[in-house]
Amino acid sequence: MKIKWFGQSYFLITSKDDTKIATDPFDRKLGYNVPYVEADIVTISHDHYDHNCVSSVKGKFTCIDKPGIFITKGIEIVGIETFHDESRGKERGRNIIFNFNIDGLYVCHCGDLGHVLSDNHVAMIGKVDVLLLPVGGTFTVNAAKAFEVVKQLNPTVTIPMHYKTKAVSLPIDGVDKFVSIVGNSIKTGKQEIEIDENNISKFSGVVILEYK
């Protein structure tokens, strides 16, 4: 599969049979360029402008914005309800983690996760091969707590998201703080990687994608 990062929590995941999944598309006022991609599936972790701009996605797609178990275009998707903060949603509301079974690998998108996971959350999420994880803090888990989530889910590959870059002025940390805690990072210099069951070990650890 191909995993392409547009900034914040927006990825385009393309399976080997060309099924396209867009995660948390953002509005232009965030600061990143809006890519206007075509997709078959769109997932929305929560209803904030930097995660819910469905109107920017082209095509006849299925939109999933709630917890549950879904099978769409042959892809199994499990949505698990979590929270956007450490107060069970009292500050910023609820959040949905989506775990996708794509091409024999489990890709877990954490949305704006705001807390370390409970044992029940870990059990519901299940196996994770590739973890798409917010690390910037303030509105999500910070670097240290993100590392706790990594240890809980034990992915082969972790791709950080939702951190400060030159395109956004949000009061969040850059990715370096997370990398300094976790170590074992690969800075690809690329916006997209192609990953499968045969080559995933090459990407073991933290993989930094570059938005364009």
Side-chain angles (χ1 to χ4, degrees), residues 66-71 76-79:
K66 59 185 177 182
I69 299 174
F70 311 90
I71 298 177
E76 182 178 328
I77 304 167
V78 178

Side-chain angles (χ1 to χ4, degrees), residues 146-199:
F147 183 40
E148 291 299 314
V149 175
V150 172
K151 291 188 288 186
Q152 288 180 304
L153 296 177
N154 193 32
T156 300
V157 179
T158 299
I159 300 177
M161 63 181 187
H162 207 285
Y163 55 83
K164 190 175 183 65
T165 70
K166 63 183 180 182
V168 294
S169 58
L170 295 175
I172 55 180
D173 293 326
V175 72
D176 289 347
K177 186 174 288 189
F178 177 71
V179 169
S180 69
I181 295 173
V182 180
N184 192 25
S185 65
I186 302 169
K187 293 191 175 182
T188 64
K190 299 178 181 179
Q191 185 181 21
E192 180 178 83
I193 59 169
E194 191 163 355
I195 195 166
D196 57 39
E197 292 177 288
N198 296 319
N199 74 358

Side-chain angles (χ1 to χ4, degrees), residues 8 29-32 49-51 112 136-140 162-174:
Q8 201 76 338
K29 63 185 177 183
L30 176 63
Y32 289 108
Y49 77 93
D50 54 335
H51 296 263
D112 266 10
T138 307
F139 308 108
T140 69
H162 207 285
Y163 55 83
K164 190 175 183 65
T165 70
K166 63 183 180 182
V168 294
S169 58
L170 295 175
I172 55 180
D173 293 326

Side-chain angles (χ1 to χ4, degrees), residues 25-30 46-53 170:
F26 47 66
D27 187 277
R28 69 178 62 192
K29 63 185 177 183
L30 176 63
H46 64 291
D47 195 26
H48 288 173
Y49 77 93
D50 54 335
H51 296 263
N52 69 351
C53 191
L170 295 175

